[in-house]
Amino acid sequence: MPTPNPAFTPPAPTTTRPDLAGTFGMVASTHWIATATAQSVLERGGNAFDAAVAGAFVLHVVEPHLNGPGGDLTAVFATEDDPTPTVLVGQGPAPAGATPEHYRAEGLDLVPGAGALAATVPGAVDAWLLLLRDHGTWELADVLAPAVGYARDGHPVAPAVVRTMTAVRGLFEEHWPTSAAQWLPGGAVPAPGDVVRNEALASVFERLVAAGSGVDGRSARIDAARGEWAEGFVAEAIDRFVRQPHRHASGTDHAGVIRASDLAAFRATYEPATTAEFRGCTIAKTGPWGQGPALLQTLRLLEPLDDARLDPATELGAHTIVEAQKLALADREAFYGDGDVPLDVLLSDAYTDERRALIGDLASAELRPGTVEGVRHTMPPVRTSHEASAGAAGSAGEPTVRIERDAPAVAPVEDRGEPFVAPDGETRGDTCHIDVVDRWGNIVSATPSGGWLQSSPTIPGLGFCLGTRLQMTWLEEGTASTLRPGERPRTTLTPTLVLRDGVPVAAVGSPGGDQQDQWQLLFLLRWIVGGYSPQQAIDAPALHTTSFPGSFWPRTWEPAGLVVEDRIGDDVVAGLEARGHVVTRAGDWTLGRLSCVTRDPATGVLGAAANPRGAQGYAAGR
């Protein structure tokens, strides 16, 4: 076990779950069935990539409120032969017809948070198949068999899925009949523990496997499945269905713009990871088309500070951490997108030193992006939730936001580990996660998301729906993340790989929308600096800021907003409020759903830990 740092608050004497240790293989994910599935693949000789893909397709089935085949994916991985961290890019781009002009012509000022107009090209399935082809060892039929079984034969539905179905029941019954047919069997919401099935989805998986029947070679058979997904019956069914207008989160009806040609034009890819050094570790993230580099910027800001200022459980530590996060997330809004992003400057010593000087003794209630010579972007409109609900024009250049709902808006200001789902399908805090490491040293951290059951109507014959990642773009011209056909939206999906001396030692990630990296930051600080064990770091009280523009519709912020678990203590909360933070208490065990796997290169000992919050995440291994 690691040695706790005396500068940090001591970890709790007991953990909610054991820190797993072994030498064979480890899995941690956001659902126990996916974890068990992935571990079963390792037990039968598969490697980490076979296991991750099998577990991920099961996540499509058992966490349909958090991800689906119509969604997206990012992963960071390394292999036994090459420890260099690599990013798997399963984030699809905006369709060719998704132009700001089209949305404005539809009477919209924002991309809606639910409905097919918010769909990017589905990227998750092709990305998983690419990873399996290049780094796995199993046949596709064997990898998909568990997901096919759970979809066709059924599985006990988790309480969180039932809560989501209950929230959107009226939307399904009144506006999305294909979703009602799939998710409200017999016209009723299932009870927790009821066995639910998705035979259409099982058939989709089987047809992908059948596409490779008679094809010579494992890789060629997987490529045949990829071709069938992108250019066959799946693309045709999506194209046919989205042409029909349906209700969106805007309260108005629209047809989608995604076409079969958009799916045919997309294939998942690999990219080098973006990295930064922190306290003897290398942290590997996606590029700035995702929010991952904001975590790197935050770590760079915190690196030279005294250890005591990095403890999230104290008033000083929490304040310092949150103020650093605000600066990095302001830069995210100003600079990040699927274009040229000056990361070399944003991560440089000179820029970081200049920004660190802005961290004061009091909470900032301003959005303070930095300045990079030669780089100018229009800042998007910044609204509080009150201003957005009022629909007022606000200050000059701030567009009116029309929000029409059948029920009053009750969205919390924070994104939590389980999603908040409004009656109109608006969702915050989506996503699931899986980490796997095997005895050979293959390791992967993956965050699949999107295409959740409440994002748009279920497509007949497919059993799934499209994602809503385009809501993370702006319709205003000139921003770093303006909607542009063929470009990726700036995703919140942000898995992490940690290396020491160039060798991977941990894979970690969390659901939670904008909060994913904020919660991962707490883990990294407690594990790397505080000397906590992985399970101690996951169990410890969590917090995050909401003082930045949210990525989810209706794209609002809460100036100086800070959300904390009550376990952080009354004295800490009072001290933070005295510094000007607007604190929201979220309960004792509510924030974050982190999981991780670890590997000690010197001994070969593997580890895993999972989050107790929500009573759904699970780690397994030996």
Side-chain angles (χ1 to χ4, degrees):
M1 294 290 286
T3 303
N5 184 338
F8 268 55
T9 303
T14 59
T15 56
T16 59
R17 301 168 181 203
D19 278 284
L20 302 186
T23 56
F24 179 79
M26 292 283 170
V27 180
S29 85
T30 48
H31 197 290
W32 65 87
I33 293 179
T35 295
T37 297
Q39 184 65 23
S40 76
V41 172
L42 295 179
E43 298 289 349
R44 289 177 288 157
N47 69 14
F49 304 109
D50 299 315
V53 176
F57 276 98
V58 167
L59 285 173
H60 286 335
V61 178
V62 300
E63 289 195 310
H65 65 312
L66 297 173
N67 81 132
D72 32 47
L73 155 74
T74 65
V76 188
F77 68 92
T79 70
E80 58 176 314
D81 298 322
D82 185 0
T84 305
T86 300
V87 174
L88 173 65
V89 183
Q91 177 55 67
T99 65
E101 293 76 17
H102 177 84
Y103 289 74
R104 292 193 181 280
E106 294 279 314
L108 300 169
D109 294 311
L110 289 169
V111 177
L117 271 180
T120 55
V121 178
V125 168
D126 190 67
W128 285 125
L129 298 187
L130 176 65
L131 186 69
L132 179 67
R133 185 196 72 183
D134 293 345
H135 299 289
T137 63
W138 278 26
E139 289 285 347
L140 179 60
D142 297 325
V143 167
L144 289 182
V148 170
Y150 285 119
R152 174 160 288 126
D153 302 330
H155 67 281
V157 65
V161 184
V162 173
R163 288 195 296 270
T164 297
M165 293 177 181
T166 301
V168 292
R169 177 177 181 174
L171 173 69
F172 285 7
E173 291 175 335
E174 186 173 355
H175 297 292
W176 294 1
T178 57
S179 295
Q182 170 59 47
W183 301 110
L184 305 176
V189 175
D194 282 356
V195 174
V196 298
R197 297 174 174 82
N198 191 336
E199 295 188 13
L201 182 56
S203 296
V204 168
F205 293 157
E206 289 176 329
R207 290 181 70 177
L208 294 181
V209 172
S213 178
V215 176
D216 290 335
R218 174 182 168 278
S219 293
R221 285 188 285 274
I222 294 174
D223 279 338
R226 297 175 69 198
E228 183 63 34
W229 171 270
E231 302 176 40
F233 74 98
V234 173
E236 293 166 0
I238 291 172
D239 188 317
R240 203 165 42 243
F241 183 69
V242 301
R243 294 174 185 264
Q244 307 167 34
H246 55 272
R247 182 56 51 92
H248 283 58
S250 56
T252 48
D253 292 350
H254 310 274
V257 295
I258 190 169
R259 298 292 180 259
S261 56
D262 294 309
L263 276 80
F266 173 79
R267 293 294 187 277
T269 57
Y270 303 115
E271 293 181 2
T274 302
T275 62
E277 303 302 309
F278 177 76
R279 299 294 183 95
C281 293
T282 301
I283 315 299
K285 304 294 288 182
T286 70
W289 50 269
Q291 68 170 326
L295 174 61
L296 305 182
Q297 286 191 249
T298 308
L299 290 170
R300 296 275 289 128
L301 289 166
L302 297 174
E303 163 126 34
L305 301 181
D306 292 341
D307 289 359
R309 297 189 67 184
L310 305 187
D311 181 1
T314 67
E315 174 197 332
L316 176 62
H319 168 75
T320 303
I321 291 164
V322 165
E323 291 305 298
Q325 287 176 326
K326 290 179 188 178
L327 295 172
L329 290 166
D331 278 353
R332 184 192 77 166
E333 204 59 57
F335 298 110
Y336 288 20
D338 195 16
D340 293 329
V341 179
L343 269 186
D344 56 336
V345 175
L346 298 178
L347 294 172
S348 68
D349 290 343
Y351 182 86
T352 303
D353 292 346
E354 178 184 331
R355 298 284 281 160
R356 189 183 299 111
L358 296 176
I359 300 175
D361 294 331
L362 300 178
S364 169
E366 300 176 0
L367 189 65
R368 299 183 292 175
T371 301
V372 176
E373 186 176 356
V375 179
R376 296 289 183 272
H377 292 299
T378 300
M379 284 296 287
V382 179
R383 314 176 192 83
T384 65
S385 55
H386 173 75
E387 290 166 340
S389 345
S395 60
E398 183 174 332
T400 299
V401 181
R402 183 174 61 256
I403 301 178
E404 302 174 65
R405 296 188 177 96
D406 297 331
V410 292
V413 297
E414 76 278 18
D415 295 341
R416 300 188 177 184
E418 285 293 343
F420 166 81
V421 180
D424 59 9
E426 174 195 343
T427 302
R428 304 183 188 186
D430 64 286
T431 313
C432 49
H433 188 78
I434 185 167
D435 302 300
V436 186
V437 63
D438 64 30
R439 62 190 184 276
W440 301 291
N442 299 301
I443 188 168
V444 58
S445 172
T447 309
S449 184
W452 47 86
L453 66 89
Q454 67 276 17
S455 65
S456 61
T458 299
I459 301 166
L462 299 185
F464 64 83
C465 58
L466 297 173
T468 58
R469 194 63 60 184
L470 282 188
Q471 69 181 290
M472 298 178 181
T473 62
W474 296 99
L475 299 183
E476 285 74 19
E477 289 298 325
T479 78
S481 53
T482 293
L483 173 62
R484 286 178 282 268
E487 292 193 5
R488 294 168 292 191
R490 188 193 64 219
T491 181
T492 54
L493 306 182
T494 180
T496 302
L497 214 59
V498 182
L499 300 87
R500 286 197 180 104
D501 300 320
V503 180
V505 294
V508 62
S510 175
D514 285 315
Q515 280 36 279
Q516 291 176 36
D517 272 336
Q518 297 199 56
W519 296 329
Q520 290 183 66
L521 173 67
L522 306 180
F523 173 90
L524 295 173
L525 293 174
R526 284 168 166 144
W527 181 54
I528 296 172
V529 185
Y532 287 32
S533 75
Q535 192 63 54
Q536 288 171 338
I538 287 174
D539 285 354
L543 69 153
H544 63 259
T545 177
T546 52
S547 188
F548 61 94
S551 295
F552 292 88
W553 188 89
R555 310 300 304 273
T556 58
W557 79 316
E558 301 295 330
L562 176 60
V563 184
V564 303
E565 287 186 325
D566 291 26
R567 292 183 296 132
I568 201 170
D570 293 342
D571 290 345
V572 173
V573 170
L576 291 169
E577 289 177 333
R579 290 177 180 266
H581 296 278
V582 181
V583 178
T584 298
R585 294 172 180 254
D588 283 340
W589 294 88
T590 54
L591 303 180
R593 286 204 299 143
L594 283 121
S595 65
C596 78
V597 296
T598 61
R599 180 176 184 269
D600 184 340
T603 64
V605 172
L606 311 177
N611 179 54
R613 299 163 180 86
Q616 190 169 302
Y618 209 75
R622 65 177 179 86

